[in-house]
Amino acid sequence: ADRIVDGTGTGGAMAAGVLYGLLRSRPPEDCANLAFVLAVSTAMRYGGREGVPTRQDVKDRWGHWLKVEAPPSWL
């Protein structure tokens, strides 16, 4: 089950999501969605680095949490 256990590292994960989206010339909505997925993924594990998701984790969670069929191709 998805649950938040530790907030360590979530701010950095959010910033990374926004910056990655901006560097990929994505609209603000995509940047915010990526920031959300990265931050929540990070908060699901203890410590700031343990929960950092893989690219595949991000794709899987994007579809599951944002209720879309497939993650965007730019991920």
Side-chain angles (χ1 to χ4, degrees), residues 8-50:
T8 303
T10 56
M14 288 185 77
V18 170
L19 290 173
Y20 183 80
L22 291 173
L23 289 170
R24 300 287 294 200
S25 301
R26 303 309 309 163
E29 181 179 333
D30 285 349
C31 296
N33 285 337
L34 182 57
F36 166 78
V37 170
L38 291 177
V40 173
S41 294
T42 301
M44 289 171 41
R45 303 288 298 268
Y46 288 102
R49 296 186 65 181
E50 191 67 30

mmCIF file of all heavy atoms in Angstrom, residues 8-50:
data_model
loop_
_atom_site.group_PDB
_atom_site.id
_atom_site.type_symbol
_atom_site.label_atom_id
_atom_site.label_comp_id
_atom_site.label_asym_id
_atom_site.label_seq_id
_atom_site.Cartn_x
_atom_site.Cartn_y
_atom_site.Cartn_z
ATOM 1 N N THR A 8 11.728 13.378 4.572
ATOM 2 C CA THR A 8 13.091 13.765 4.234
ATOM 3 C C THR A 8 13.325 13.645 2.732
ATOM 4 O O THR A 8 13.060 12.606 2.139
ATOM 5 C CB THR A 8 14.101 12.861 4.970
ATOM 6 O OG1 THR A 8 13.856 12.934 6.361
ATOM 7 C CG2 THR A 8 15.529 13.281 4.672
ATOM 8 N N GLY A 9 13.799 14.706 2.119
ATOM 9 C CA GLY A 9 14.138 14.673 0.703
ATOM 10 C C GLY A 9 13.021 15.054 -0.242
ATOM 11 O O GLY A 9 13.241 15.163 -1.445
ATOM 12 N N THR A 10 11.824 15.278 0.283
ATOM 13 C CA THR A 10 10.712 15.564 -0.622
ATOM 14 C C THR A 10 10.841 16.929 -1.300
ATOM 15 O O THR A 10 10.463 17.070 -2.459
ATOM 16 C CB THR A 10 9.359 15.467 0.097
ATOM 17 O OG1 THR A 10 9.367 16.339 1.231
ATOM 18 C CG2 THR A 10 9.069 14.053 0.547
ATOM 19 N N GLY A 11 11.388 17.902 -0.599
ATOM 20 C CA GLY A 11 11.565 19.217 -1.210
ATOM 21 C C GLY A 11 12.538 19.175 -2.376
ATOM 22 O O GLY A 11 12.287 19.752 -3.436
ATOM 23 N N GLY A 12 13.635 18.466 -2.190
ATOM 24 C CA GLY A 12 14.602 18.305 -3.280
ATOM 25 C C GLY A 12 14.014 17.534 -4.440
ATOM 26 O O GLY A 12 14.274 17.854 -5.612
ATOM 27 N N ALA A 13 13.207 16.522 -4.128
ATOM 28 C CA ALA A 13 12.575 15.736 -5.189
ATOM 29 C C ALA A 13 11.590 16.588 -5.981
ATOM 30 O O ALA A 13 11.524 16.491 -7.212
ATOM 31 C CB ALA A 13 11.864 14.525 -4.586
ATOM 32 N N MET A 14 10.855 17.438 -5.279
ATOM 33 C CA MET A 14 9.917 18.335 -5.973
ATOM 34 C C MET A 14 10.673 19.295 -6.891
ATOM 35 O O MET A 14 10.287 19.497 -8.042
ATOM 36 C CB MET A 14 9.082 19.127 -4.976
ATOM 37 C CG MET A 14 8.052 18.297 -4.273
ATOM 38 S SD MET A 14 6.995 19.287 -3.210
ATOM 39 C CE MET A 14 5.934 20.008 -4.457
ATOM 40 N N ALA A 15 11.735 19.874 -6.378
ATOM 41 C CA ALA A 15 12.529 20.803 -7.183
ATOM 42 C C ALA A 15 13.103 20.100 -8.407
ATOM 43 O O ALA A 15 13.083 20.650 -9.519
ATOM 44 C CB ALA A 15 13.652 21.405 -6.340
ATOM 45 N N ALA A 16 13.572 18.881 -8.220
ATOM 46 C CA ALA A 16 14.127 18.117 -9.340
ATOM 47 C C ALA A 16 13.067 17.855 -10.398
ATOM 48 O O ALA A 16 13.331 17.947 -11.606
ATOM 49 C CB ALA A 16 14.707 16.800 -8.847
ATOM 50 N N GLY A 17 11.850 17.545 -9.979
ATOM 51 C CA GLY A 17 10.768 17.303 -10.927
ATOM 52 C C GLY A 17 10.435 18.533 -11.744
ATOM 53 O O GLY A 17 10.284 18.466 -12.967
ATOM 54 N N VAL A 18 10.343 19.668 -11.074
ATOM 55 C CA VAL A 18 10.043 20.924 -11.784
ATOM 56 C C VAL A 18 11.178 21.264 -12.748
ATOM 57 O O VAL A 18 10.943 21.577 -13.922
ATOM 58 C CB VAL A 18 9.804 22.075 -10.783
ATOM 59 C CG1 VAL A 18 9.742 23.414 -11.507
ATOM 60 C CG2 VAL A 18 8.526 21.832 -9.993
ATOM 61 N N LEU A 19 12.411 21.192 -12.273
ATOM 62 C CA LEU A 19 13.549 21.537 -13.131
ATOM 63 C C LEU A 19 13.669 20.605 -14.327
ATOM 64 O O LEU A 19 13.925 21.054 -15.456
ATOM 65 C CB LEU A 19 14.841 21.528 -12.314
ATOM 66 C CG LEU A 19 14.967 22.662 -11.301
ATOM 67 C CD1 LEU A 19 16.193 22.452 -10.430
ATOM 68 C CD2 LEU A 19 15.010 24.007 -12.004
ATOM 69 N N TYR A 20 13.470 19.312 -14.113
ATOM 70 C CA TYR A 20 13.544 18.363 -15.230
ATOM 71 C C TYR A 20 12.463 18.682 -16.267
ATOM 72 O O TYR A 20 12.732 18.701 -17.463
ATOM 73 C CB TYR A 20 13.388 16.923 -14.726
ATOM 74 C CG TYR A 20 13.526 15.909 -15.835
ATOM 75 C CD1 TYR A 20 14.781 15.532 -16.293
ATOM 76 C CD2 TYR A 20 12.413 15.339 -16.432
ATOM 77 C CE1 TYR A 20 14.921 14.612 -17.319
ATOM 78 C CE2 TYR A 20 12.532 14.424 -17.460
ATOM 79 C CZ TYR A 20 13.790 14.060 -17.904
ATOM 80 O OH TYR A 20 13.933 13.153 -18.922
ATOM 81 N N GLY A 21 11.260 18.949 -15.784
ATOM 82 C CA GLY A 21 10.182 19.304 -16.698
ATOM 83 C C GLY A 21 10.493 20.571 -17.480
ATOM 84 O O GLY A 21 10.271 20.632 -18.692
ATOM 85 N N LEU A 22 11.012 21.579 -16.807
ATOM 86 C CA LEU A 22 11.363 22.825 -17.491
ATOM 87 C C LEU A 22 12.469 22.614 -18.521
ATOM 88 O O LEU A 22 12.412 23.165 -19.628
ATOM 89 C CB LEU A 22 11.786 23.887 -16.472
ATOM 90 C CG LEU A 22 10.680 24.416 -15.570
ATOM 91 C CD1 LEU A 22 11.264 25.336 -14.500
ATOM 92 C CD2 LEU A 22 9.601 25.130 -16.379
ATOM 93 N N LEU A 23 13.462 21.808 -18.163
ATOM 94 C CA LEU A 23 14.554 21.528 -19.101
ATOM 95 C C LEU A 23 14.070 20.757 -20.329
ATOM 96 O O LEU A 23 14.680 20.837 -21.401
ATOM 97 C CB LEU A 23 15.682 20.770 -18.409
ATOM 98 C CG LEU A 23 16.486 21.585 -17.408
ATOM 99 C CD1 LEU A 23 17.416 20.681 -16.605
ATOM 100 C CD2 LEU A 23 17.276 22.674 -18.122
ATOM 101 N N ARG A 24 12.982 20.022 -20.165
ATOM 102 C CA ARG A 24 12.391 19.277 -21.285
ATOM 103 C C ARG A 24 11.319 20.100 -21.993
ATOM 104 O O ARG A 24 10.572 19.585 -22.810
ATOM 105 C CB ARG A 24 11.789 17.973 -20.777
ATOM 106 C CG ARG A 24 12.764 17.022 -20.101
ATOM 107 C CD ARG A 24 13.681 16.358 -21.066
ATOM 108 N NE ARG A 24 12.880 15.495 -21.906
ATOM 109 C CZ ARG A 24 13.324 14.494 -22.615
ATOM 110 N NH1 ARG A 24 14.600 14.221 -22.584
ATOM 111 N NH2 ARG A 24 12.539 13.773 -23.360
ATOM 112 N N SER A 25 11.224 21.393 -21.650
ATOM 113 C CA SER A 25 10.262 22.333 -22.253
ATOM 114 C C SER A 25 8.817 21.877 -22.076
ATOM 115 O O SER A 25 7.991 22.025 -22.975
ATOM 116 C CB SER A 25 10.568 22.557 -23.742
ATOM 117 O OG SER A 25 11.861 23.062 -23.913
ATOM 118 N N ARG A 26 8.521 21.331 -20.908
ATOM 119 C CA ARG A 26 7.176 20.852 -20.624
ATOM 120 C C ARG A 26 6.337 21.972 -20.023
ATOM 121 O O ARG A 26 6.879 22.891 -19.387
ATOM 122 C CB ARG A 26 7.210 19.679 -19.644
ATOM 123 C CG ARG A 26 8.044 18.500 -20.104
ATOM 124 C CD ARG A 26 7.727 18.018 -21.497
ATOM 125 N NE ARG A 26 6.297 17.779 -21.678
ATOM 126 C CZ ARG A 26 5.712 17.668 -22.862
ATOM 127 N NH1 ARG A 26 6.403 17.775 -23.970
ATOM 128 N NH2 ARG A 26 4.422 17.451 -22.933
ATOM 129 N N PRO A 27 5.021 21.922 -20.190
ATOM 130 C CA PRO A 27 4.148 22.940 -19.588
ATOM 131 C C PRO A 27 4.133 22.803 -18.062
ATOM 132 O O PRO A 27 4.495 21.749 -17.520
ATOM 133 C CB PRO A 27 2.772 22.643 -20.192
ATOM 134 C CG PRO A 27 2.822 21.227 -20.637
ATOM 135 C CD PRO A 27 4.265 20.944 -20.982
ATOM 136 N N PRO A 28 3.702 23.848 -17.375
ATOM 137 C CA PRO A 28 3.687 23.827 -15.911
ATOM 138 C C PRO A 28 2.939 22.630 -15.319
ATOM 139 O O PRO A 28 3.353 22.093 -14.292
ATOM 140 C CB PRO A 28 3.005 25.144 -15.534
ATOM 141 C CG PRO A 28 3.282 26.042 -16.683
ATOM 142 C CD PRO A 28 3.287 25.154 -17.905
ATOM 143 N N GLU A 29 1.861 22.197 -15.928
ATOM 144 C CA GLU A 29 1.102 21.058 -15.401
ATOM 145 C C GLU A 29 1.960 19.790 -15.370
ATOM 146 O O GLU A 29 1.940 19.039 -14.394
ATOM 147 C CB GLU A 29 -0.141 20.814 -16.244
ATOM 148 C CG GLU A 29 -0.981 19.656 -15.733
ATOM 149 C CD GLU A 29 -2.223 19.428 -16.569
ATOM 150 O OE1 GLU A 29 -2.719 20.376 -17.194
ATOM 151 O OE2 GLU A 29 -2.695 18.279 -16.586
ATOM 152 N N ASP A 30 2.720 19.550 -16.433
ATOM 153 C CA ASP A 30 3.602 18.384 -16.453
ATOM 154 C C ASP A 30 4.689 18.493 -15.389
ATOM 155 O O ASP A 30 5.033 17.508 -14.743
ATOM 156 C CB ASP A 30 4.256 18.210 -17.829
ATOM 157 C CG ASP A 30 3.316 17.669 -18.879
ATOM 158 O OD1 ASP A 30 2.193 17.219 -18.522
ATOM 159 O OD2 ASP A 30 3.689 17.679 -20.069
ATOM 160 N N CYS A 31 5.238 19.688 -15.237
ATOM 161 C CA CYS A 31 6.278 19.904 -14.217
ATOM 162 C C CYS A 31 5.722 19.625 -12.828
ATOM 163 O O CYS A 31 6.378 18.963 -12.013
ATOM 164 C CB CYS A 31 6.808 21.333 -14.290
ATOM 165 S SG CYS A 31 7.640 21.758 -15.825
ATOM 166 N N ALA A 32 4.521 20.121 -12.556
ATOM 167 C CA ALA A 32 3.901 19.902 -11.249
ATOM 168 C C ALA A 32 3.585 18.425 -11.033
ATOM 169 O O ALA A 32 3.794 17.895 -9.932
ATOM 170 C CB ALA A 32 2.631 20.737 -11.119
ATOM 171 N N ASN A 33 3.096 17.746 -12.056
ATOM 172 C CA ASN A 33 2.796 16.319 -11.922
ATOM 173 C C ASN A 33 4.058 15.510 -11.643
ATOM 174 O O ASN A 33 4.052 14.613 -10.795
ATOM 175 C CB ASN A 33 2.098 15.794 -13.175
ATOM 176 C CG ASN A 33 0.654 16.220 -13.257
ATOM 177 O OD1 ASN A 33 0.023 16.532 -12.255
ATOM 178 N ND2 ASN A 33 0.109 16.236 -14.461
ATOM 179 N N LEU A 34 5.132 15.823 -12.338
ATOM 180 C CA LEU A 34 6.385 15.102 -12.103
ATOM 181 C C LEU A 34 6.905 15.390 -10.698
ATOM 182 O O LEU A 34 7.352 14.483 -9.990
ATOM 183 C CB LEU A 34 7.433 15.464 -13.157
ATOM 184 C CG LEU A 34 8.768 14.731 -13.021
ATOM 185 C CD1 LEU A 34 8.572 13.211 -13.056
ATOM 186 C CD2 LEU A 34 9.715 15.172 -14.130
ATOM 187 N N ALA A 35 6.815 16.646 -10.266
ATOM 188 C CA ALA A 35 7.240 17.003 -8.915
ATOM 189 C C ALA A 35 6.443 16.216 -7.877
ATOM 190 O O ALA A 35 7.001 15.703 -6.904
ATOM 191 C CB ALA A 35 7.074 18.500 -8.688
ATOM 192 N N PHE A 36 5.142 16.089 -8.099
ATOM 193 C CA PHE A 36 4.283 15.323 -7.190
ATOM 194 C C PHE A 36 4.716 13.864 -7.126
ATOM 195 O O PHE A 36 4.890 13.306 -6.043
ATOM 196 C CB PHE A 36 2.827 15.428 -7.663
ATOM 197 C CG PHE A 36 1.910 14.433 -7.017
ATOM 198 C CD1 PHE A 36 1.447 14.627 -5.722
ATOM 199 C CD2 PHE A 36 1.502 13.297 -7.698
ATOM 200 C CE1 PHE A 36 0.601 13.709 -5.127
ATOM 201 C CE2 PHE A 36 0.655 12.377 -7.112
ATOM 202 C CZ PHE A 36 0.203 12.579 -5.823
ATOM 203 N N VAL A 37 4.892 13.235 -8.277
ATOM 204 C CA VAL A 37 5.263 11.812 -8.316
ATOM 205 C C VAL A 37 6.609 11.594 -7.625
ATOM 206 O O VAL A 37 6.761 10.657 -6.836
ATOM 207 C CB VAL A 37 5.276 11.284 -9.765
ATOM 208 C CG1 VAL A 37 5.880 9.892 -9.841
ATOM 209 C CG2 VAL A 37 3.862 11.273 -10.340
ATOM 210 N N LEU A 38 7.579 12.442 -7.895
ATOM 211 C CA LEU A 38 8.894 12.281 -7.270
ATOM 212 C C LEU A 38 8.834 12.496 -5.760
ATOM 213 O O LEU A 38 9.426 11.734 -4.994
ATOM 214 C CB LEU A 38 9.905 13.236 -7.896
ATOM 215 C CG LEU A 38 10.303 12.938 -9.343
ATOM 216 C CD1 LEU A 38 11.252 14.020 -9.855
ATOM 217 C CD2 LEU A 38 10.937 11.569 -9.465
ATOM 218 N N ALA A 39 8.121 13.529 -5.326
ATOM 219 C CA ALA A 39 8.054 13.828 -3.892
ATOM 220 C C ALA A 39 7.347 12.718 -3.119
ATOM 221 O O ALA A 39 7.835 12.271 -2.078
ATOM 222 C CB ALA A 39 7.351 15.162 -3.667
ATOM 223 N N VAL A 40 6.219 12.255 -3.614
ATOM 224 C CA VAL A 40 5.494 11.206 -2.899
ATOM 225 C C VAL A 40 6.289 9.903 -2.916
ATOM 226 O O VAL A 40 6.343 9.187 -1.920
ATOM 227 C CB VAL A 40 4.079 11.020 -3.481
ATOM 228 C CG1 VAL A 40 3.382 9.825 -2.855
ATOM 229 C CG2 VAL A 40 3.248 12.272 -3.255
ATOM 230 N N SER A 41 6.936 9.603 -4.035
ATOM 231 C CA SER A 41 7.757 8.393 -4.113
ATOM 232 C C SER A 41 8.868 8.439 -3.066
ATOM 233 O O SER A 41 9.139 7.442 -2.393
ATOM 234 C CB SER A 41 8.381 8.255 -5.502
ATOM 235 O OG SER A 41 7.393 8.045 -6.480
ATOM 236 N N THR A 42 9.501 9.593 -2.943
ATOM 237 C CA THR A 42 10.580 9.757 -1.970
ATOM 238 C C THR A 42 10.065 9.609 -0.545
ATOM 239 O O THR A 42 10.724 9.007 0.302
ATOM 240 C CB THR A 42 11.250 11.131 -2.163
ATOM 241 O OG1 THR A 42 11.760 11.205 -3.498
ATOM 242 C CG2 THR A 42 12.392 11.343 -1.189
ATOM 243 N N ALA A 43 8.865 10.106 -0.289
ATOM 244 C CA ALA A 43 8.293 10.065 1.063
ATOM 245 C C ALA A 43 7.801 8.681 1.466
ATOM 246 O O ALA A 43 7.502 8.446 2.633
ATOM 247 C CB ALA A 43 7.142 11.062 1.163
ATOM 248 N N MET A 44 7.751 7.763 0.523
ATOM 249 C CA MET A 44 7.269 6.409 0.828
ATOM 250 C C MET A 44 8.346 5.522 1.451
ATOM 251 O O MET A 44 8.062 4.382 1.840
ATOM 252 C CB MET A 44 6.717 5.747 -0.442
ATOM 253 C CG MET A 44 5.404 6.360 -0.889
ATOM 254 S SD MET A 44 4.808 5.817 -2.496
ATOM 255 C CE MET A 44 5.133 4.080 -2.516
ATOM 256 N N ARG A 45 9.575 6.010 1.536
ATOM 257 C CA ARG A 45 10.681 5.247 2.137
ATOM 258 C C ARG A 45 11.377 6.151 3.149
ATOM 259 O O ARG A 45 11.308 7.366 3.065
ATOM 260 C CB ARG A 45 11.699 4.827 1.065
ATOM 261 C CG ARG A 45 11.154 4.016 -0.076
ATOM 262 C CD ARG A 45 10.779 2.585 0.279
ATOM 263 N NE ARG A 45 11.859 1.764 0.736
ATOM 264 C CZ ARG A 45 12.610 1.005 -0.035
ATOM 265 N NH1 ARG A 45 12.426 0.973 -1.336
ATOM 266 N NH2 ARG A 45 13.569 0.271 0.493
ATOM 267 N N TYR A 46 12.082 5.549 4.081
ATOM 268 C CA TYR A 46 12.828 6.319 5.073
ATOM 269 C C TYR A 46 14.131 6.834 4.472
ATOM 270 O O TYR A 46 14.808 6.123 3.742
ATOM 271 C CB TYR A 46 13.134 5.463 6.310
ATOM 272 C CG TYR A 46 11.902 5.195 7.139
ATOM 273 C CD1 TYR A 46 11.264 3.977 7.072
ATOM 274 C CD2 TYR A 46 11.382 6.180 7.966
ATOM 275 C CE1 TYR A 46 10.127 3.731 7.824
ATOM 276 C CE2 TYR A 46 10.248 5.952 8.723
ATOM 277 C CZ TYR A 46 9.627 4.724 8.640
ATOM 278 O OH TYR A 46 8.494 4.495 9.376
ATOM 279 N N GLY A 47 14.453 8.084 4.777
ATOM 280 C CA GLY A 47 15.691 8.682 4.296
ATOM 281 C C GLY A 47 15.476 9.426 2.992
ATOM 282 O O GLY A 47 14.518 9.186 2.263
ATOM 283 N N GLY A 48 16.358 10.331 2.704
ATOM 284 C CA GLY A 48 16.210 11.171 1.532
ATOM 285 C C GLY A 48 16.538 10.512 0.211
ATOM 286 O O GLY A 48 16.067 10.941 -0.826
ATOM 287 N N ARG A 49 17.332 9.454 0.223
ATOM 288 C CA ARG A 49 17.758 8.840 -1.035
ATOM 289 C C ARG A 49 17.125 7.481 -1.285
ATOM 290 O O ARG A 49 17.018 7.049 -2.422
ATOM 291 C CB ARG A 49 19.270 8.706 -1.056
ATOM 292 C CG ARG A 49 19.943 10.080 -1.029
ATOM 293 C CD ARG A 49 21.404 9.989 -1.188
ATOM 294 N NE ARG A 49 21.708 9.464 -2.513
ATOM 295 C CZ ARG A 49 22.919 9.247 -2.953
ATOM 296 N NH1 ARG A 49 23.934 9.514 -2.184
ATOM 297 N NH2 ARG A 49 23.127 8.777 -4.141
ATOM 298 N N GLU A 50 16.728 6.824 -0.232
ATOM 299 C CA GLU A 50 16.199 5.467 -0.352
ATOM 300 C C GLU A 50 14.954 5.395 -1.240
ATOM 301 O O GLU A 50 14.761 4.443 -1.970
ATOM 302 C CB GLU A 50 15.882 4.911 1.036
ATOM 303 C CG GLU A 50 15.588 3.443 1.074
ATOM 304 C CD GLU A 50 16.783 2.578 0.730
ATOM 305 O OE1 GLU A 50 17.922 2.996 1.010
ATOM 306 O OE2 GLU A 50 16.571 1.492 0.174
#
